[in-house]
Amino acid sequence: MSHNTIAINQQMEKFDGHASVWLFGYGSLIYKADFPYIERRTASIANLTRRFWQGSHDHRGTEAAPGRVVTLVPESGAVCNGMAYLITPEVFTHLDHREKNGYLRLATQITFDDETSVEGLVYIATADNAAYLGAASEQDIARQIAASSGPSGPNRDYLIDLAHALREMGKHDAHVFAIEQYLTS
Ligand code: SIN
């Protein structure tokens, strides 16, 4: 699959005709909401876990030296905490551009902190996209993040801002916090 997922995402018809759609954010979408939304609520999705396994050459790295950003990978029993936004369909034009480096819009069940749930969308970069980097030790991930920078700024800021936002929400993420520990010690 090519790096640029805009055309594929624009063919997503699942929520056509809906006046609004819930979007689940688990990475920069938690702390950088540069789009209009009607409402936002802390939420989680099940059986997926957050990992710094996606390469970034458009935001936090370059083609020659990609940074690392988060995607979600299947893990039975896992719970990924994040932020859900209720948005109108026009907002996807902006989001598809922002998430174009390998992320696909996929339907998912979103559970709010009061345990009610709704079907919505999440951007996931699956293992078959060209920018995917895959697993590495948390120490190696920290080294790569420390050395990377791109048009949206240092890769380090992405990780620190995400760790900070999770802490503010009262949520723990062992993977994110372990990489933060290597980066800041
Ligand atoms: C997300 O935040 O939900 C997707 C990954 C990212 O944009 O950092």
Side-chain angles (χ1 to χ4, degrees):
M1 195 191 299
S2 80
H3 287 310
N4 191 325
T5 49
I6 291 178
I8 302 171
N9 281 327
Q10 284 174 352
Q11 284 161 25
M12 218 291 178
E13 290 172 347
K14 180 156 179 75
F15 291 96
D16 278 6
H18 289 227
S20 58
V21 183
W22 281 99
L23 169 74
F24 180 79
Y26 56 91
S28 66
L29 288 174
I30 296 181
Y31 64 82
K32 189 181 172 197
D34 61 351
F35 51 89
Y37 56 85
I38 301 160
E39 187 186 344
R40 81 170 167 177
R41 299 172 68 179
T42 52
S44 63
I45 57 178
N47 299 317
L48 289 165
T49 196
R50 180 174 16 236
R51 289 287 177 260
F52 271 85
W53 290 4
Q54 173 65 5
S56 174
H57 55 70
D58 60 341
H59 285 298
R60 301 291 179 165
T62 60
E63 286 273 0
R68 276 188 180 255
V69 291
V70 287
T71 185
L72 295 177
V73 299
E75 187 184 299
S76 181
V79 172
C80 177
N81 293 296
M83 188 64 80
Y85 300 87
L86 185 61
I87 59 176
T88 56
E90 309 84 71
V91 179
F92 283 108
T93 307
H94 167 71
L95 291 171
D96 286 349
H97 185 263
R98 173 171 160 172
E99 303 298 323
K100 67 182 185 309
N101 192 195
Y103 291 85
L104 294 175
R105 278 194 235 159
L106 299 172
T108 187
Q109 200 65 24
I110 300 172
T111 303
F112 302 114
D113 282 1
D114 66 3
E115 285 175 21
T116 58
S117 71
V118 71
E119 193 178 26
L121 289 172
V122 59
Y123 283 92
I124 297 182
T126 53
D128 58 356
N129 85 86
Y132 194 76
L133 295 174
S137 72
E138 282 153 355
Q139 190 166 15
D140 284 347
I141 290 175
R143 279 197 201 103
Q144 186 172 352
I145 288 174
S148 302
S149 196
S152 297
N155 202 172
R156 177 191 171 86
D157 290 357
Y158 177 104
L159 181 127
I160 301 287
D161 289 350
L162 176 58
H164 179 75
L166 288 169
R167 236 176 244 118
E168 285 225 307
M169 289 159 55
K171 306 297 184 192
H172 184 80
D173 187 309
H175 175 71
V176 174
F177 292 168
I179 298 166
E180 181 193 35
Q181 185 69 33
Y182 282 118
L183 260 181
T184 56
S185 59

